[in-house]
Amino acid sequence: MKKLLSALALLFCAAWLVTAAGMGDLVKSKVLKNKLQVMVVENHQLPLVTICIAFRGGAMAQEPDTAGLFHLYEHMLFSGNKKYKTQQEFLAALGNLGTTEWNGSTGSEYINYYITIPSDELEAGIEFWSWAIMEPIFNDEKLAREKEVVLNENRGYFADNDNVAVNAIQSRMFSDLPWRKNTEGPESNIKAATVAQLEDMQAKYYIPANAALIVAGDVKPELVFALAEKHFGTWQGDTAPVIGSPPHGPISKNVNLIAPEDTYFDTLSQVQLRWRGPDVDRQPKDTYIADVLVFLVNSPVGKFKSSLSKLYPKIYDPEYTFFAYPTARDGGQFIFLTFLSLDENDTDIVKSAQELAVAVDIQCEQISRSPSTYFGKDALDQAKTKLIDANLLMAEDPSQFATGVLCFWWGVADSNYFFNYEDNCKKVSFADIAALAKKYLFGQESARLIRIKSSIRDGYSEELGNEKDAGYTVVSQANAYWWQE
Amino acid sequence: MKFQNRWLTFFACMAAFVWVCGVDAQTKPAAQRFVFSDLEDEFSNTAELPAYVKDSLKTFSVFTLKNGIPVVVKKNTSNRIQYVSLLIRRAEGDETPETAGITSLMLHAMERGSADADNDAIKALLDATTSEIESKVEYDSARYGLRTFDKYFSRLLPVWARTITKPRFDAAEFEKVKSLRINDLKSAEQDPWQIAMRTGDESFFDGHLYSADPQGTVESLGNISLDQVKAHYKKMFAQGRISIVAVGNFDANSVRSTLEKAFSALDFAAMEKSGSIARPAPLEARSKLVKKVFPGANDVGYMLGYFPAPNFVDPDYLPMRIGGLALSGLLFYNIRTLHGLAYTPDIAISNAQANYARIIIYKSQMLTETKKYVDESINILRSGKALVATIAESDAGAKTSEPFGNLELIMAGAKRQIVGQLFNSQQTNSGNAELIEFSIINANDYRAYLLYQMRADAVTAQQVIEAVNRWIDPAAIEWIALGPAKIIDAVDEKEFLAVQE
């Protein structure tokens, strides 16, 4: 199940793991005149440095006809620029720098690129990215080749049942603007993409006011700031684009989905419940409270999991029950996920999911009524301690800290948000938690998804009727994605 | 941008070591030296060692507990994480295909309780302290570690140690662990890439010691009983099998007394003695294609090409690591940059004693055509060329980019890359512990990895070319191709296996 857990961690954007706290001591930050934010994490344990550059954008900034193009652009950035004209020159330069790690990724709210190199190559590494970012060269020939690569990559995602499930539920929950929840986009968009579109994206999103340069490792902050000024100081651009506007509204009503999968577990079914959660853009205080709540309810021996398991014994194992709030600028959501043991004599999975939802709602009601009684004061203190410890743990590896933690918080919020994160989480009270549970969870609209092995579902003839009666939609690779509806 | 190949850690395996009662290695004469210090001669002449090696040596403390368990402690003051790991050596006969996964099952069962603390008590403590007990089993070794913070260490270590010295092995928890492990394997059966790797492993390791998958199979795990696990525990926790590695901001004396107390319950006198543990036989190269249809793979296929590789003690080890980097660049250029045929073409060299490498083609629709470019890339490398992207200028002044050039041109960068990878794997204390364990197992010296950079610097381009020609033969690679029927059916075995010149 650990493999399963890693997949789920991705699904949840590692929300309860990626928390920012006590950053003031750890991260030195400066904003250049051109609005480029530079952040430095100094750690001299090893002679390495990770240089990462991030841009706000990704799925959240997409329109129906540009969905998937941030990902394509991310690929194209590696295909050459004014200094390293071809991809082979680009790759050879990475080799000459002694690069041990390099990659790029496109997510829901940001895109990042990074290299890890020997720290004595710091300036060469910053200069390397300055060419790639400021002076990319796009042409039809390169674009045609990279389209094939991206299409192959996406086809793998489209066959991935985890990806299918998450897209099926998100595209329906956020049916007002579903293209803002998927980074791959339809194949037709990739095939039709033009150099002009990429250049438009460059002008709008790949600008200093929308970027952060994050450097972590065996470096001195002042030197990094000076080198950033030297190599990125001439970079100009417009003001930062508005991302996530108009905001997502409430989630759609009556989203009940069942995903039969040929290769799913033969003794377990997965059930997800999702609610609309707070957004950094509009309810920032609630996002801090949500993180504290997540630490409270995810305790493996805490009240939430133990009560739920007692109330609903079909839950396979509390260890594989999750409650997440992936912090989001817009389109925030709470996610509850668990596995139910399948019983030969009790074949109505729809009914089971309904009973589970009721059991979860009972917990939410109790939390909303009196969280101090429900959790106990010690649990709140412990949750806050764990939240801080989780950051200490994350900071152990400066490279991962830069490319994961810092990018994440800068991307979904801003530097002030995470510099003040620990203090704001410490302020969270039980009254805040009660209000949060009432506002977002107890009795609120939730979407449901059931994942089950196809042959088991097919064997439940009675259940098929129940699915229809309960308004469930069967989802698969053929109808999971927003452009397929 | 590219698939991150994380299924092989940079260092993770073992070699034979002999049992000697060790004492403090840094102060005692050779006859009494610490059990894991076979490279004493190389480290004794400190004048020839680079400064970073000398500095690193100062961070080690080594000793042997009264009951005979050797301990290596490395002080690292750069963070507040403390990691301690029990290293268990695996040997032939420990597991068969029928009992595959028993070590993994045993360690996972140990995580769930000791004589003093049940599963809930341990989980509560780990949760409250953001700590973790983790286990990992590979072909040659297993580790059972505790990751915690300095402020919790004295509280956590005795709890972790009791799960080792007095595991609870509760019947209900054991059945739960079995169920979880089996479901883990079933989860992997949903992922085409995992299936491709498992299918490839089964084929390439067939008849070899490694054919018993350390993670087990659904069938093997299902048939293992708690009594078998208890018997296996007695076999594995034997003299000559186990040692402890600790990395963190430790006071060596303090950690020594803590470990002494915590492990006093592990009485070797009452336990079995391990016989001599032989290195596994090397793997064999062969030309073969295994095709597997997996309908759920949608419109893309996956390929893995297996061949034997030199292990850590082989003189070709570092030349092949550099050759692997060069091949990675060639594969990327020939397959992806020039032709857009695959999302990620790469090569991963493992770190097993019977070592092997896998060529990776991750997400491609045209498998046979892609394989031709694999051959082409290997042949370029075998001829002494690499991806260099030098700029050539014609008589008329026109500049062109020449993709290939002599391997010599990339040697400096490649050496920095492999040394950087070594550093990269030391970013965490757990990673540091893994390197020390790797050194113990492979070179019978906890310091062996510190010589890596010096040795890498000495590698010549000619050595790389010779190693590549010895180990990578396009006509002796075993391939697994997996994907939907329309992609796999299009692969003609004869055409696929024909080597491109």
Side-chain angles (χ1 to χ4, degrees), chain B residues 214-263:
Chain B
Q215 311 314 318
T217 64
V218 171
E219 294 73 29
S220 67
L221 294 187
N223 290 327
I224 293 171
S225 69
L226 182 55
D227 285 343
Q228 281 178 291
V229 166
K230 287 177 179 172
H232 191 67
Y233 169 84
K234 285 187 179 172
K235 183 178 178 182
M236 299 301 280
F237 284 79
Q239 284 191 23
R241 287 262 196 175
I242 62 173
S243 51
I244 293 172
V245 175
V247 183
N249 192 6
F250 289 117
D251 171 76
N253 289 330
S254 168
V255 78
R256 180 175 190 160
S257 63
T258 307
L259 288 170
E260 197 72 78
K261 192 174 169 189
F263 281 90

Side-chain angles (χ1 to χ4, degrees), chain B residues 83-100:
Chain B
Y83 188 84
V84 58
S85 169
L86 186 85
L87 174 65
I88 309 166
R89 184 181 163 210
R90 298 180 72 219
E92 185 159 13
D94 283 352
E95 296 182 23
T96 63
E98 290 71 35
T99 60

Side-chain angles (χ1 to χ4, degrees), chain B residues 193-486:
Chain B
W193 179 241
Q194 298 280 338
I195 299 168
M197 281 203 291
R198 181 163 276 249
T199 308
D201 287 358
E202 282 171 8
S203 177
F204 188 61
F205 299 143
D206 186 30
H208 188 270
L209 174 63
Y210 291 172
S211 61
D213 189 323
Q215 311 314 318
T217 64
V218 171
E219 294 73 29
S220 67
L221 294 187
N223 290 327
I224 293 171
S225 69
L226 182 55
D227 285 343
Q228 281 178 291
V229 166
K230 287 177 179 172
H232 191 67
Y233 169 84
K234 285 187 179 172
K235 183 178 178 182
M236 299 301 280
F237 284 79
Q239 284 191 23
R241 287 262 196 175
I242 62 173
S243 51
I244 293 172
V245 175
V247 183
N249 192 6
F250 289 117
D251 171 76
N253 289 330
S254 168
V255 78
R256 180 175 190 160
S257 63
T258 307
L259 288 170
E260 197 72 78
K261 192 174 169 189
F263 281 90
S264 60
L266 200 59
D267 180 9
F268 275 140
M271 303 185 83
E272 292 179 14
K273 288 189 179 175
S274 165
S276 66
I277 295 178
R279 278 179 180 273
L283 292 153
E284 288 178 16
R286 55 199 167 200
S287 176
K288 186 177 173 184
L289 170 66
V290 177
K291 297 199 293 182
K292 189 174 179 79
V293 171
F294 182 72
N298 201 359
D299 281 341
V300 285
Y302 303 81
M303 288 200 298
L304 288 154
Y306 288 72
F307 58 92
N311 64 19
F312 185 66
V313 294
D314 191 302
D316 279 343
Y317 179 77
L318 283 169
M320 260 299 282
R321 288 250 160 230
I322 294 173
L325 275 179
L327 183 57
S328 175
L330 288 166
L331 291 169
F332 198 95
Y333 174 71
N334 282 324
I335 294 169
R336 176 163 156 170
T337 306
L338 277 189
H339 302 286
L341 283 171
Y343 170 46
T344 301
D346 207 348
I347 173 174
I349 302 174
S350 184
N351 271 300
Q353 287 189 89
N355 210 14
Y356 59 96
R358 292 168 169 131
I359 291 169
I360 295 163
I361 303 297
Y362 185 80
K363 296 184 181 177
S364 172
Q365 286 190 313
M366 304 172 75
L367 303 187
T368 303
E369 192 172 357
T370 302
K371 194 268 184 178
K372 288 176 185 170
Y373 291 110
V374 172
D375 290 351
E376 185 180 312
S377 301
I378 293 172
N379 287 332
I380 290 168
L381 182 61
R382 282 165 64 98
S383 73
K385 305 279 187 189
L387 181 70
V388 293
T390 52
I391 307 299
E393 193 165 339
S394 69
D395 292 343
K399 289 182 179 177
T400 54
S401 176
E402 295 293 332
F404 309 125
N406 287 335
L407 187 72
E408 183 64 48
L409 294 170
I410 68 154
M411 284 299 286
K415 287 176 183 178
R416 302 188 81 192
Q417 278 180 275
I418 63 164
V419 171
Q421 287 171 352
L422 176 77
F423 288 136
N424 224 13
S425 59
Q426 297 174 63
Q427 300 259 24
T428 63
N429 288 343
S430 167
N432 268 298
E434 201 165 349
L435 273 174
I436 293 165
E437 291 165 357
F438 174 82
S439 298
I440 289 171
I441 291 163
N442 282 279
N444 202 41
D445 195 303
Y446 60 96
R447 303 159 293 187
Y449 74 99
L450 296 175
L451 300 173
Y452 192 92
Q453 184 171 356
M454 289 165 62
R455 290 178 175 175
D457 285 344
V459 174
T460 66
Q462 188 56 34
Q463 287 173 320
V464 175
I465 296 165
E466 287 169 8
V468 164
N469 276 279
R470 260 192 293 276
W471 292 93
I472 316 181
D473 177 0
I477 296 176
E478 184 163 338
W479 289 94
I480 165 76
L482 178 141
K486 69 178 177 184

